[in-house]
Amino acid sequence: MTERRAYAVHEAGHAVVAQALGRTVCAVWIAVECARGGAEIHTEGIALADGAAICWAGQEATDLLNVEAPSRLAKGDWERFIGLTSRMDAKEQERLRQDARARARELLRENIKLLKALADALERDGAIDHVTFRRIVDNCAQRHTAQPPAA
């Protein structure tokens, strides 16, 4: 498994969970050569629990697909989570972290085809704009709802 694949799966995880929570995903990208990646997601007015689930979605995606990821990959997500929960005590933070990880994992499992398709496209292309993201979402939804041929 390559580092590029790890970045692709990680960033796809954020985008898939955001999509599942009804957020608009504008773009997703990876830049392994400079150890960066990201997802531009509209999060205005987002509930804390939803924001926390999106934070942990990258790590949960790599765990779910059994992709070995460098430890630095989730550093920004951890920092973002700490920023979101800075007014909580440690016990509340830990409870929210566990709940957010479980929620992200559940949403990723429900959307596993989308996660894989998006990770494949990111690994191949390095960046996905909003239009391409929507096309991948729609393609996965069509495959998911398609009826098997009559026997």
Side-chain angles (χ1 to χ4, degrees):
M1 202 63 60
T2 67
E3 201 167 292
R4 184 174 181 85
R5 181 67 179 172
Y7 274 82
V9 169
H10 181 95
E11 296 306 334
H14 292 301
V16 168
V17 168
Q19 162 70 25
L21 292 172
R23 307 315 295 190
T24 299
V25 177
C26 301
V28 188
W29 67 92
I30 59 171
V32 177
E33 58 280 352
C34 60
R36 296 201 49 133
E40 183 183 340
I41 300 165
H42 286 188
T43 57
E44 300 81 30
I46 194 168
L48 179 60
D50 288 353
I54 293 169
C55 278
W56 291 109
Q59 187 170 346
E60 288 301 321
T62 57
D63 289 352
L64 180 63
L65 295 184
N66 201 28
V67 173
E68 188 174 328
S71 59
R72 70 180 180 278
L73 192 56
K75 183 177 184 238
D77 301 333
W78 177 252
E79 291 169 351
R80 195 170 298 110
F81 178 76
I82 294 300
L84 286 173
T85 61
S86 62
R87 295 186 178 179
M88 295 178 146
D89 66 36
K91 190 174 181 179
E92 290 174 312
Q93 261 184 346
E94 181 57 21
R95 187 175 323 116
L96 178 60
R97 186 185 70 80
Q98 289 177 7
D99 290 348
R101 289 190 70 160
R103 187 167 184 211
R105 188 171 35 254
E106 178 183 335
L107 291 170
L108 290 165
R109 282 188 179 130
E110 290 171 5
N111 294 280
I112 192 75
K113 288 180 183 176
L114 176 57
L115 175 62
K116 290 176 180 179
L118 187 56
D120 290 348
L122 266 176
E123 183 177 19
R124 181 186 63 243
D125 301 335
I128 295 172
D129 63 12
H130 177 71
V131 172
T132 304
F133 179 78
R134 291 298 326 152
R135 186 170 44 244
I136 294 169
V137 169
D138 292 344
N139 286 343
C140 287
Q142 287 173 0
R143 280 188 262 146
H144 182 68
T145 60
Q147 298 296 319

